[in-house]
Coordinates of all heavy atoms in Angstrom, one line a residue:
R349 N 30.2 6.5 -26.3 CA 29.8 6.2 -24.9 C 28.6 5.2 -24.8 O 27.8 5.1 -25.8 CB 29.4 7.5 -24.2 CG 28.2 8.3 -24.8 CD 27.3 9.0 -23.8 NE 28.0 9.8 -22.8 CZ 28.1 9.4 -21.5 NH1 27.6 8.3 -21.1 NH2 28.7 10.2 -20.7
G350 N 28.5 4.6 -23.7 CA 27.4 3.7 -23.5 C 26.4 4.2 -22.5 O 26.2 5.5 -22.4
G351 N 25.8 3.4 -21.7 CA 24.7 3.8 -20.8 C 25.1 4.1 -19.4 O 24.2 4.0 -18.5
V352 N 26.3 4.5 -19.1 CA 26.8 4.9 -17.8 C 26.9 6.4 -17.8 O 27.7 6.9 -18.6 CB 28.1 4.2 -17.4 CG1 28.6 4.7 -16.0 CG2 28.0 2.7 -17.4
V353 N 26.2 7.1 -16.9 CA 26.2 8.6 -16.9 C 26.4 9.1 -15.5 O 25.6 8.9 -14.6 CB 24.8 9.1 -17.4 CG1 24.8 10.6 -17.5 CG2 24.5 8.5 -18.8
S354 N 27.6 9.7 -15.3 CA 28.0 10.3 -14.1 C 27.7 11.8 -14.1 O 28.0 12.4 -15.1 CB 29.5 10.0 -13.8 OG 29.7 8.8 -13.2
F355 N 27.2 12.3 -13.0 CA 27.0 13.7 -13.0 C 27.2 14.3 -11.6 O 27.1 13.5 -10.6 CB 25.6 14.1 -13.5 CG 24.4 13.4 -12.7 CD1 23.7 14.1 -11.7 CD2 24.1 12.1 -13.0 CE1 22.7 13.5 -11.1 CE2 23.0 11.5 -12.3 CZ 22.3 12.2 -11.3
T356 N 27.4 15.6 -11.5 CA 27.4 16.2 -10.2 C 26.5 17.4 -10.2 O 26.2 18.0 -11.3 CB 28.9 16.8 -9.9 OG1 29.5 17.3 -11.0 CG2 29.8 15.6 -9.3
V357 N 25.9 17.7 -9.1 CA 24.9 18.8 -9.0 C 25.5 19.9 -8.1 O 25.9 19.6 -7.0 CB 23.6 18.3 -8.4 CG1 22.5 19.4 -8.4 CG2 23.1 17.1 -9.2
E358 N 25.6 21.1 -8.6 CA 26.3 22.2 -7.9 C 25.7 22.4 -6.5 O 24.5 22.3 -6.3 CB 26.0 23.5 -8.7 CG 27.0 24.6 -8.5 CD 26.6 25.8 -9.4 OE1 25.7 25.7 -10.2 OE2 27.3 26.8 -9.2
D359 N 26.6 22.5 -5.5 CA 26.3 22.7 -4.1 C 25.6 21.5 -3.5 O 25.1 21.6 -2.3 CB 25.4 24.0 -3.9 CG 26.2 25.2 -4.4 OD1 27.4 25.2 -4.2 OD2 25.5 26.2 -4.9
L360 N 25.5 20.4 -4.1 CA 24.9 19.2 -3.5 C 25.9 18.1 -3.5 O 26.6 17.8 -4.5 CB 23.7 18.7 -4.3 CG 22.4 19.6 -4.2 CD1 21.3 18.8 -4.9 CD2 22.1 19.9 -2.8
H361 N 26.0 17.4 -2.3 CA 26.9 16.2 -2.3 C 26.1 15.0 -3.0 O 24.9 14.9 -2.9 CB 27.1 15.8 -0.8 CG 28.3 14.8 -0.8 ND1 28.1 13.4 -1.1 CD2 29.6 14.9 -0.4 CE1 29.2 12.8 -0.9 NE2 30.2 13.7 -0.5
P362 N 26.9 14.3 -3.8 CA 26.2 13.2 -4.5 C 25.4 12.2 -3.6 O 24.4 11.7 -4.0 CB 27.4 12.4 -5.2 CG 28.4 13.5 -5.4 CD 28.3 14.4 -4.2
H363 N 25.9 12.1 -2.4 CA 25.1 11.2 -1.5 C 23.8 11.8 -1.1 O 22.8 11.1 -1.0 CB 25.9 11.0 -0.2 CG 27.0 10.0 -0.4 ND1 28.2 10.0 0.3 CD2 27.1 8.9 -1.1 CE1 29.0 9.0 -0.1 NE2 28.4 8.3 -0.9
D364 N 23.7 13.1 -1.0 CA 22.4 13.8 -0.8 C 21.5 13.6 -2.0 O 20.3 13.4 -1.8 CB 22.6 15.3 -0.4 CG 23.3 15.5 0.9 OD1 23.2 14.6 1.8 OD2 24.0 16.5 1.1
V365 N 22.1 13.8 -3.2 CA 21.3 13.5 -4.4 C 20.7 12.1 -4.4 O 19.6 11.9 -4.6 CB 22.2 13.7 -5.7 CG1 21.4 13.4 -6.9 CG2 22.7 15.2 -5.7
G366 N 21.6 11.1 -4.1 CA 21.2 9.7 -4.1 C 20.1 9.5 -3.0 O 19.2 8.7 -3.3
T367 N 20.2 10.1 -1.9 CA 19.2 9.9 -0.8 C 17.9 10.5 -1.3 O 16.8 9.8 -1.0 CB 19.7 10.6 0.5 OG1 21.0 10.1 0.8 CG2 18.7 10.3 1.6
V368 N 17.8 11.7 -1.8 CA 16.5 12.2 -2.3 C 16.0 11.3 -3.4 O 14.8 11.0 -3.4 CB 16.7 13.6 -2.8 CG1 15.4 14.1 -3.4 CG2 17.1 14.6 -1.6
L369 N 16.8 10.8 -4.3 CA 16.4 10.0 -5.4 C 15.8 8.7 -4.8 O 14.8 8.2 -5.3 CB 17.5 9.7 -6.4 CG 17.6 10.6 -7.6 CD1 17.7 12.0 -7.2 CD2 18.7 10.2 -8.6
D370 N 16.5 8.1 -3.8 CA 16.0 6.9 -3.2 C 14.6 7.1 -2.7 O 13.7 6.2 -2.8 CB 16.9 6.5 -2.1 CG 16.5 5.2 -1.4 OD1 16.2 4.2 -2.1 OD2 16.4 5.2 -0.1
G371 N 14.3 8.3 -2.1 CA 13.0 8.6 -1.6 C 11.9 8.6 -2.7 O 10.7 8.4 -2.5
E372 N 12.4 8.7 -4.0 CA 11.5 8.7 -5.1 C 11.4 7.3 -5.8 O 10.9 7.2 -6.9 CB 11.9 9.8 -6.1 CG 11.9 11.2 -5.6 CD 10.6 11.6 -5.2 OE1 9.6 11.4 -5.9 OE2 10.4 12.2 -4.1
G373 N 12.1 6.4 -5.2 CA 12.2 5.0 -5.8 C 13.2 4.8 -6.8 O 13.2 3.8 -7.5
V374 N 14.1 5.9 -7.0 CA 15.1 5.8 -8.0 C 16.4 5.4 -7.5 O 17.0 6.1 -6.6 CB 15.3 7.2 -8.7 CG1 16.3 7.2 -9.8 CG2 13.9 7.7 -9.2
A375 N 16.9 4.2 -7.9 CA 18.2 3.7 -7.4 C 19.3 4.1 -8.3 O 19.4 3.6 -9.4 CB 18.1 2.2 -7.3
I376 N 20.2 4.9 -7.8 CA 21.4 5.2 -8.5 C 22.6 5.0 -7.5 O 22.4 4.5 -6.4 CB 21.5 6.7 -9.0 CG1 21.5 7.6 -7.8 CG2 20.5 7.0 -10.0 CD1 22.1 9.0 -8.0
R377 N 23.8 5.2 -7.9 CA 25.0 5.1 -7.1 C 25.6 6.4 -6.9 O 25.7 7.2 -7.8 CB 26.0 4.1 -7.7 CG 27.2 3.8 -6.8 CD 27.5 2.3 -6.9 NE 26.4 1.5 -6.4 CZ 26.6 0.6 -5.4 NH1 27.7 0.4 -4.8 NH2 25.6 -0.2 -5.1
A378 N 26.1 6.7 -5.7 CA 26.9 7.9 -5.4 C 28.1 7.5 -4.7 O 28.1 6.7 -3.8 CB 26.0 8.8 -4.6
G379 N 29.3 8.1 -5.1 CA 30.5 7.8 -4.5 C 31.7 7.9 -5.4 O 31.6 8.6 -6.5
H380 N 32.8 7.2 -5.1 CA 33.9 7.3 -6.0 C 34.0 6.2 -7.0 O 34.8 6.1 -7.9 CB 35.2 7.4 -5.2 CG 35.5 6.3 -4.3 ND1 35.6 4.9 -4.6 CD2 35.6 6.2 -2.9 CE1 35.8 4.2 -3.6 NE2 35.7 4.9 -2.5
H381 N 33.0 5.3 -6.9 CA 32.8 4.2 -7.9 C 34.1 3.4 -8.1 O 34.4 2.9 -9.2 CB 32.4 4.7 -9.3 CG 31.3 5.7 -9.1 ND1 30.0 5.4 -8.7 CD2 31.3 7.1 -9.4 CE1 29.3 6.5 -8.7 NE2 30.0 7.5 -9.1
C382 N 34.9 3.2 -7.0 CA 36.1 2.4 -7.0 C 37.1 3.0 -8.1 O 37.7 2.2 -8.9 CB 35.9 0.9 -7.3 SG 34.9 0.1 -6.1
A383 N 37.1 4.3 -8.2 CA 38.0 5.0 -9.1 C 38.5 6.3 -8.5 O 38.3 7.4 -9.1 CB 37.2 5.2 -10.4
Q384 N 39.2 6.1 -7.4 CA 39.6 7.4 -6.7 C 40.6 8.2 -7.5 O 40.5 9.4 -7.5 CB 40.3 7.0 -5.3 CG 39.2 6.5 -4.3 CD 39.8 6.1 -3.0 OE1 41.0 6.2 -2.8 NE2 38.9 5.7 -2.1
P385 N 41.6 7.6 -8.2 CA 42.4 8.5 -9.1 C 41.7 9.2 -10.1 O 42.0 10.4 -10.4 CB 43.4 7.5 -9.7 CG 43.5 6.3 -8.8 CD 42.1 6.2 -8.2
L386 N 40.6 8.6 -10.7 CA 39.8 9.3 -11.7 C 39.0 10.5 -11.0 O 38.9 11.6 -11.6 CB 38.8 8.3 -12.3 CG 37.9 9.0 -13.3 CD1 38.6 9.7 -14.5 CD2 37.0 7.9 -14.0
M387 N 38.5 10.3 -9.8 CA 37.9 11.4 -9.1 C 38.8 12.5 -9.0 O 38.4 13.7 -9.2 CB 37.3 10.9 -7.7 CG 36.3 9.9 -7.7 SD 34.7 10.4 -8.5 CE 34.6 9.3 -9.9
R388 N 40.0 12.2 -8.6 CA 41.0 13.3 -8.4 C 41.2 14.1 -9.7 O 41.3 15.3 -9.8 CB 42.3 12.8 -7.8 CG 42.2 12.6 -6.3 CD 43.6 12.3 -5.7 NE 44.0 11.0 -6.0 CZ 43.6 9.9 -5.2 NH1 42.8 10.1 -4.2 NH2 44.0 8.7 -5.5
K389 N 41.3 13.3 -10.8 CA 41.6 13.9 -12.1 C 40.4 14.8 -12.5 O 40.5 15.8 -13.1 CB 41.7 12.7 -13.2 CG 42.1 13.1 -14.6 CD 42.3 11.9 -15.4 CE 42.2 12.1 -16.9 NZ 43.3 12.9 -17.4
L390 N 39.2 14.3 -12.2 CA 38.0 15.1 -12.5 C 37.8 16.3 -11.6 O 37.0 17.2 -11.8 CB 36.7 14.2 -12.4 CG 36.6 13.1 -13.4 CD1 35.4 12.2 -13.1 CD2 36.5 13.6 -14.8
G391 N 38.6 16.3 -10.5 CA 38.5 17.4 -9.5 C 37.2 17.3 -8.6 O 36.7 18.3 -8.2
V392 N 36.7 16.1 -8.4 CA 35.6 15.9 -7.5 C 35.9 14.8 -6.5 O 36.8 14.0 -6.7 CB 34.3 15.5 -8.3 CG1 33.9 16.6 -9.3 CG2 34.5 14.2 -9.1
H393 N 35.1 14.8 -5.4 CA 35.3 13.7 -4.4 C 34.4 12.5 -4.8 O 34.8 11.4 -4.5 CB 34.8 14.2 -3.0 CG 35.7 15.2 -2.5 ND1 37.1 15.0 -2.2 CD2 35.5 16.6 -2.2 CE1 37.6 16.1 -1.8 NE2 36.7 17.1 -1.7
A394 N 33.3 12.8 -5.5 CA 32.4 11.7 -5.8 C 31.5 12.2 -6.9 O 31.5 13.4 -7.2 CB 31.6 11.4 -4.5
T395 N 30.8 11.3 -7.5 CA 29.7 11.7 -8.5 C 28.5 10.9 -8.2 O 28.5 9.9 -7.5 CB 30.1 11.4 -10.0 OG1 30.1 10.0 -10.2 CG2 31.5 12.0 -10.3
A396 N 27.4 11.3 -8.7 CA 26.2 10.5 -8.8 C 26.2 9.8 -10.1 O 26.7 10.3 -11.1 CB 24.9 11.4 -8.7
R397 N 25.8 8.5 -10.2 CA 25.9 7.7 -11.4 C 24.6 7.0 -11.7 O 24.2 6.2 -10.9 CB 27.1 6.7 -11.3 CG 27.3 5.9 -12.6 CD 28.3 4.8 -12.4 NE 27.8 3.7 -11.5 CZ 28.5 2.7 -11.1 NH1 29.8 2.6 -11.4 NH2 28.0 1.8 -10.3
A398 N 24.1 7.3 -12.9 CA 22.9 6.5 -13.3 C 23.4 5.5 -14.4 O 24.2 6.0 -15.3 CB 21.8 7.4 -13.9
S399 N 23.0 4.3 -14.4 CA 23.5 3.3 -15.4 C 22.4 2.4 -15.8 O 21.7 1.9 -14.9 CB 24.7 2.5 -14.9 OG 24.4 2.0 -13.6
V400 N 22.2 2.3 -17.1 CA 21.0 1.6 -17.6 C 21.3 0.2 -18.0 O 22.4 -0.2 -18.2 CB 20.4 2.4 -18.8 CG1 20.2 3.8 -18.5 CG2 21.3 2.3 -20.1
Y401 N 20.2 -0.6 -18.2 CA 20.3 -1.9 -18.8 C 19.1 -2.1 -19.8 O 18.3 -1.1 -20.0 CB 20.4 -3.0 -17.8 CG 21.2 -4.2 -18.3 CD1 22.0 -4.1 -19.4 CD2 21.1 -5.4 -17.7 CE1 22.7 -5.2 -19.9 CE2 21.8 -6.5 -18.1 CZ 22.6 -6.4 -19.3 OH 23.3 -7.5 -19.7
L402 N 19.0 -3.3 -20.3 CA 18.0 -3.5 -21.4 C 16.6 -3.3 -21.0 O 15.7 -3.1 -21.8 CB 18.2 -4.9 -21.9 CG 18.2 -6.1 -20.8 CD1 16.8 -6.7 -20.7 CD2 19.2 -7.1 -21.2
Y403 N 16.3 -3.3 -19.6 CA 14.9 -3.1 -19.2 C 14.6 -1.7 -18.8 O 13.5 -1.4 -18.4 CB 14.6 -4.0 -18.0 CG 15.8 -4.2 -17.0 CD1 16.2 -3.1 -16.3 CD2 16.5 -5.4 -16.9 CE1 17.3 -3.2 -15.4 CE2 17.6 -5.5 -16.1 CZ 18.0 -4.5 -15.3 OH 19.0 -4.6 -14.5
N404 N 15.5 -0.7 -19.0 CA 15.2 0.7 -18.6 C 14.6 1.4 -19.8 O 14.8 1.0 -21.0 CB 16.5 1.4 -18.2 CG 17.0 0.9 -16.8 OD1 18.1 0.4 -16.7 ND2 16.2 1.0 -15.8
T405 N 13.8 2.4 -19.4 CA 13.0 3.1 -20.5 C 13.3 4.6 -20.4 O 13.8 5.1 -19.4 CB 11.5 2.9 -20.2 OG1 11.2 3.5 -18.9 CG2 11.1 1.5 -20.2
T406 N 12.9 5.3 -21.4 CA 13.1 6.8 -21.5 C 12.3 7.4 -20.3 O 12.7 8.4 -19.7 CB 12.6 7.3 -22.8 OG1 13.1 6.5 -23.9 CG2 13.0 8.8 -23.0
D407 N 11.1 6.8 -20.0 CA 10.3 7.4 -18.9 C 11.1 7.3 -17.6 O 11.0 8.2 -16.7 CB 9.0 6.5 -18.7 CG 8.0 6.8 -19.8 OD1 8.2 7.7 -20.6 OD2 7.0 6.1 -19.9
E408 N 11.9 6.3 -17.4 CA 12.7 6.2 -16.2 C 13.7 7.3 -16.1 O 14.1 7.8 -15.1 CB 13.3 4.8 -16.1 CG 12.2 3.7 -15.8 CD 12.8 2.4 -15.6 OE1 13.5 1.9 -16.5 OE2 12.5 1.8 -14.5
I409 N 14.3 7.6 -17.3 CA 15.3 8.7 -17.3 C 14.6 10.0 -17.0 O 15.1 10.8 -16.2 CB 16.0 8.8 -18.7 CG1 16.7 7.5 -19.1 CG2 17.0 10.0 -18.7 CD1 17.8 7.0 -18.1
D410 N 13.4 10.2 -17.5 CA 12.6 11.4 -17.1 C 12.4 11.4 -15.6 O 12.5 12.5 -15.0 CB 11.3 11.4 -17.9 CG 11.5 11.7 -19.4 OD1 12.5 12.2 -19.7 OD2 10.6 11.3 -20.1
C411 N 12.1 10.3 -15.0 CA 11.8 10.2 -13.6 C 13.1 10.6 -12.8 O 13.1 11.3 -11.8 CB 11.4 8.7 -13.3 SG 10.7 8.5 -11.7
L412 N 14.3 10.1 -13.3 CA 15.5 10.5 -12.7 C 15.7 12.0 -12.7 O 16.0 12.6 -11.7 CB 16.7 9.8 -13.5 CG 18.1 10.4 -13.3 CD1 18.7 9.8 -12.0 CD2 19.0 10.0 -14.5
V413 N 15.4 12.6 -13.9 CA 15.6 14.1 -14.0 C 14.7 14.8 -13.0 O 15.1 15.7 -12.3 CB 15.4 14.5 -15.5 CG1 15.3 16.0 -15.6 CG2 16.5 13.9 -16.3
E414 N 13.4 14.4 -13.0 CA 12.5 15.0 -12.1 C 12.9 14.9 -10.6 O 12.8 15.8 -9.8 CB 11.1 14.4 -12.2 CG 10.3 14.8 -13.4 CD 9.2 13.8 -13.9 OE1 8.7 13.1 -13.0 OE2 8.9 13.7 -15.1

Side-chain angles (χ1 to χ4, degrees):
R349 60 146 47 255
V352 177
V353 181
S354 278
F355 58 97
T356 41
V357 186
E358 205 178 355
D359 296 329
L360 289 188
H361 193 283
H363 284 146
D364 291 333
V365 175
T367 304
V368 173
L369 265 58
D370 179 50
E372 299 300 312
V374 180
I376 61 153
R377 185 140 296 234
H380 56 63
H381 315 295
C382 297
Q384 290 181 0
L386 176 57
M387 294 295 116
R388 280 191 283 276
K389 186 178 161 71
L390 296 174
V392 297
H393 293 296
T395 71
R397 180 187 72 186
S399 52
V400 306
Y401 209 17
L402 53 96
Y403 36 69
N404 290 120
T405 62
T406 311
D407 286 351
E408 290 184 305
I409 302 298
D410 291 338
C411 195
L412 164 78
V413 170
E414 282 158 26

